[in-house]
Amino acid sequence: LSISCLWICLLVLSSSVIMGQDNHLDITPTPQSLVQKNGHFTLNSKTSFAIGKTQRADLKKVAAYFQSKILYSTGYNLNIKNSGSSNTISLQIDKSLKIGNEGYQLTVTPKKVIVKAKTPQGVFYGMQSVMQLLPPQIESETIIDNVAWEIPCVEIKDEPAYGYRGMMLDVCRHFHDVEFVKKQLDIMAMFKMNYFHWHLTDDHLWTIEIKKYPRLAEVGSVRRNADGSIHRGFYTQEQIKEVVAYAAERYITVIPEVELPGHALAALTAYPEYSCTGGPFELRNKWGVEDNVYCAGNDKTFEFLQDILEEVIPLFPGKFFHIGGDECPKVRWNECPKCQKRIKDENLKDAHELQSYFIHRIEKIILAHGKSMIGWDEILEGGLAPSATVMSWRGEEGGIAAASMGHDVIMTPSKWMYIDHGQGAVETEPIAIRFGLPLEKTYSYDPKSPKIPENLRHHVLGAQCNMWTEYAVTPEYTEYLLYPRMLALAELDWTPKEKKDYNSFTRRLDNQLIRLDMHHINYHIPMPEGPM
Ligand code: TNX
């Protein structure tokens, strides 16, 4: 009897170890290399961070970030010290490491956790992996008892496949407040994403305060919907700075987008003198593309835009500035005497070349302020501005063409990356602008199209998922569309193609969804999808 008892005990023990292992090695995105060792490190109230004698301010910030997260969920207030021989999480900068600037090396032994990287950003990502090795309740915003805060012993060496891992949020079709934006930045950081593209202006709302042109936020931020209801919202410059700083603490760069020459009706409603017809206008209250765009024949339009850019640029310390450039119908320009005169004076062939003229003129302003211009792939029309980075959205062709011309490219092709499209069956999902984009399809995307010549593939900076909000009326539904597809994007941008595995991704998702629960995120539960 006692021998069989022993066997049963052993069996139970070993299966719990195996289950424990499974639960604890759910890092998303999958690291480049991970070797599990025996044993675990236990986090307790005596654990401390060790950041070295010099007490670098940047490492201290990283330690403080995780110190406060760990305090929320465990109640342990970890000390930040210079060094410690055991029960420490040691954060170290080591310039001699043979990894990229965003990479890290993580060693967990029963005595110590050591995170080494070339930069504080790498250490930050190493710590995110530590968090993911802990039980998912570590993300809780309130203290959770009865959890063994154990980190399995591992040796990890990791770095991203792509330097650009982005998400775009449209706040013009439906406004999303500062609190919502910060919440998504928290999640992006957990999954090692590093660019937040903020679509701030469109036909349907203008959402950023411009001091020189107060009517932009006054008039441009209030829309009367077709049913008579009002939709409104804008950010003050103080709020913009607050979000940019919040993102920076999480190693996320914010890219502002000010749309031109099309998608400009909110601005033109406030200042109709910069249109071809002079208005008057009302903010667009149906979806789709608007014919009234900035007048390309009027020099005052460029002065107006220059003033706006000069107010917006200093709010965003990152190098990129997005000027839109997509979906600019040419009807008004074709009817407008000033635009026709411009075409003649500048020896342009047609309105398509006028679009290119427009973009070149704006690019000069962006470059003069030391920034680098990004635009949607229509900026290829009529000749591409020389140093521009192209976001390829209509398909991959724009990106392939741009890379082949030597331009940097960010891949956002709608078929895979437009997560405003429904992810489940039409019959069961809430309304969306389109359907047919299940999680697996987003996950399957490979940013380096084989159609790009091998020697030019380095121009692909990475991929981005785009969250347009025509039908995303509530924050809950916007989250539902974002998750879990944004996690698929995080993995395809970080994990090398050869290491991607959809089955493993969905298995790890069980653990990640609990983390999203801890942040009160509303997500779609991926299931085998029904008819599409
Ligand atoms: C196309 S992508 C647009 C957006 C819409 C989106 C809807 C792009 C540059 N333009 O204005 O919101 O489709 O999916």
Side-chain angles (χ1 to χ4, degrees):
L1 187 81
S2 64
I3 286 183
S4 60
C5 227
L6 192 74
W7 273 119
I8 290 171
C9 282
L10 269 176
L11 227 106
V12 169
L13 212 76
S14 64
S15 70
S16 75
V17 167
I18 290 166
M19 274 184 60
Q21 282 179 5
D22 208 37
N23 283 339
H24 284 162
L25 292 176
D26 286 339
I27 300 176
T28 296
T30 290
Q32 294 254 4
S33 91
L34 180 154
V35 180
Q36 190 173 6
K37 303 280 171 74
N38 286 330
H40 58 259
F41 175 94
T42 304
L43 187 90
N44 56 36
S45 61
K46 300 278 178 329
T47 306
S48 58
F49 284 102
I51 60 166
K53 274 203 297 290
T54 52
Q55 289 269 319
R56 293 174 58 126
D58 44 17
L59 276 189
K60 202 169 188 169
K61 267 196 195 156
V62 175
Y65 178 82
F66 290 98
Q67 179 192 44
S68 84
K69 285 189 72 140
I70 291 168
L71 175 62
Y72 281 134
S73 51
T74 66
Y76 307 151
N77 195 3
L78 311 191
N79 275 327
I80 302 177
K81 297 183 184 162
N82 297 351
S83 61
S85 55
S86 67
N87 200 5
T88 51
I89 301 174
S90 167
L91 309 184
Q92 302 171 16
I93 298 292
D94 181 350
K95 300 270 183 211
S96 71
L97 289 179
K98 303 252 169 319
I99 44 175
N101 280 339
E102 294 188 292
Y104 65 92
Q105 236 170 265
L106 168 63
T107 308
V108 180
T109 70
K111 276 178 106 178
K112 258 189 164 191
V113 174
I114 302 167
V115 185
K116 280 188 190 176
K118 276 177 153 167
T119 63
Q121 185 175 7
V123 173
F124 182 80
Y125 292 145
M127 271 309 297
Q128 290 292 6
S129 290
V130 170
M131 297 295 277
Q132 293 211 6
L133 288 167
L134 281 156
Q137 292 78 4
I138 195 71
E139 290 294 335
S140 170
E141 286 159 0
T142 52
I143 294 177
I144 300 204
D145 294 323
N146 303 324
V147 177
W149 301 113
E150 291 171 355
I151 308 173
C153 292
V154 286
E155 191 69 59
I156 292 178
K157 198 168 173 194
D158 198 12
E159 65 181 333
Y162 294 97
Y164 189 103
R165 305 177 297 280
M167 187 270 276
M168 185 219 73
L169 179 67
D170 163 18
V171 291
C172 304
R173 276 50 180 272
H174 284 101
F175 186 71
H176 288 70
D177 64 14
V178 167
E179 198 193 330
F180 178 89
V181 172
K182 286 183 172 174
K183 192 176 168 197
Q184 313 318 312
L185 290 169
D186 287 344
I187 309 297
M188 288 174 69
M190 279 164 62
F191 297 98
K192 306 186 176 88
M193 292 173 63
N194 62 353
Y195 280 95
F196 172 57
H197 167 181
W198 211 355
H199 184 82
L200 290 165
T201 74
D202 214 302
D203 299 315
H204 304 85
L205 281 186
W206 179 283
T207 66
I208 174 168
E209 172 194 30
I210 302 294
K211 300 211 160 111
K212 191 155 187 189
Y213 299 102
R215 286 173 57 80
L216 283 172
E218 281 160 24
V219 174
S221 73
V222 190
R223 171 175 87 233
R224 185 174 294 279
N225 289 326
D227 65 1
S229 63
I230 297 287
H231 185 74
R232 67 193 311 156
F234 75 91
Y235 311 101
T236 63
Q237 292 191 3
E238 282 311 305
Q239 286 176 314
I240 296 272
K241 287 185 204 156
E242 185 187 324
V243 169
V244 168
Y246 191 88
E249 271 176 47
R250 288 152 184 74
Y251 294 93
I252 296 170
T253 303
V254 185
I255 303 177
E257 180 182 355
V258 173
E259 272 265 31
L260 53 91
H263 287 279
L265 193 61
L268 294 176
T269 304
Y271 294 94
E273 57 269 42
Y274 306 117
S275 69
C276 292
T277 64
F281 305 112
E282 278 183 12
L283 267 65
R284 196 172 160 91
N285 65 9
K286 52 182 190 239
W287 312 132
V289 178
E290 168 63 38
D291 284 342
N292 290 295
V293 301
Y294 289 118
C295 177
N298 182 356
D299 283 325
K300 294 241 157 47
T301 307
F302 292 96
E303 283 167 30
F304 171 70
L305 289 170
Q306 174 153 3
D307 289 343
I308 291 172
L309 296 181
E310 283 176 352
E311 264 197 46
V312 178
I313 287 169
L315 302 174
F316 296 90
K319 77 166 182 171
F320 288 122
F321 196 99
H322 201 305
I323 53 82
D326 63 308
E327 296 178 325
C328 178
K330 308 294 183 294
V331 284
R332 292 291 177 267
W333 290 357
N334 285 332
E335 293 160 353
C336 165
K338 279 189 187 157
C339 289
Q340 291 308 306
K341 182 167 181 311
R342 175 86 74 200
I343 290 177
K344 213 162 133 245
D345 292 352
E346 298 288 334
N347 280 325
L348 306 173
K349 222 170 46 228
D350 55 16
H352 287 281
E353 288 196 354
L354 189 55
Q355 154 111 0
S356 168
Y357 166 89
F358 204 113
I359 301 293
H360 276 81
R361 230 173 126 163
I362 296 296
E363 188 184 35
K364 283 206 189 96
I365 304 169
I366 306 284
L367 292 179
H369 289 82
K371 301 287 171 178
S372 171
M373 186 177 84
I374 306 192
W376 300 110
D377 57 51
E378 285 93 332
I379 64 170
L380 286 160
E381 244 177 59
L384 179 56
S387 63
T389 297
V390 171
M391 266 189 187
S392 190
W393 74 275
R394 289 177 292 183
E396 296 186 280
E397 290 67 29
I400 295 166
S404 303
M405 289 159 70
H407 291 270
D408 284 344
V409 165
I410 295 157
M411 286 299 195
T412 66
S414 57
K415 244 164 102 181
W416 296 271
M417 293 290 120
Y418 271 37
I419 56 175
D420 55 331
H421 297 181
Q423 57 208 310
V426 175
E427 294 82 351
T428 53
E429 288 298 300
I431 187 168
I433 197 157
R434 273 198 195 88
F435 283 87
L437 187 42
L439 179 63
E440 185 165 11
K441 176 134 194 208
T442 299
Y443 188 83
S444 73
Y445 187 62
D446 171 15
K448 280 199 179 148
S449 164
K451 290 186 220 148
I452 302 174
E454 185 109 35
N455 61 332
L456 296 172
R457 292 210 188 130
H458 64 276
H459 282 301
V460 178
L461 305 181
Q464 168 175 293
C465 56
N466 291 342
M467 184 60 239
W468 301 102
T469 55
E470 282 94 335
Y471 292 90
V473 178
T474 63
E476 291 77 20
Y477 185 39
T478 307
E479 288 181 355
Y480 181 85
L481 290 166
L482 275 169
Y483 303 102
R485 286 179 293 183
M486 193 178 91
L487 275 54
L489 178 279
E491 181 145 310
L492 72 92
D493 266 336
W494 183 282
T495 305
K497 188 169 131 190
E498 316 73 64
K499 292 231 149 168
K500 275 171 62 192
D501 173 347
Y502 186 65
N503 288 332
S504 149
F505 173 75
T506 50
R507 186 189 58 72
R508 281 175 278 127
L509 205 52
D510 287 347
N511 179 312
Q512 305 306 341
L513 293 181
I514 304 172
R515 290 168 200 268
L516 297 185
D517 286 335
M518 297 290 138
H519 286 265
H520 312 288
I521 292 280
N522 185 35
Y523 51 80
H524 170 85
I525 296 176
M527 287 179 284
E529 308 292 359
M532 301 296 280

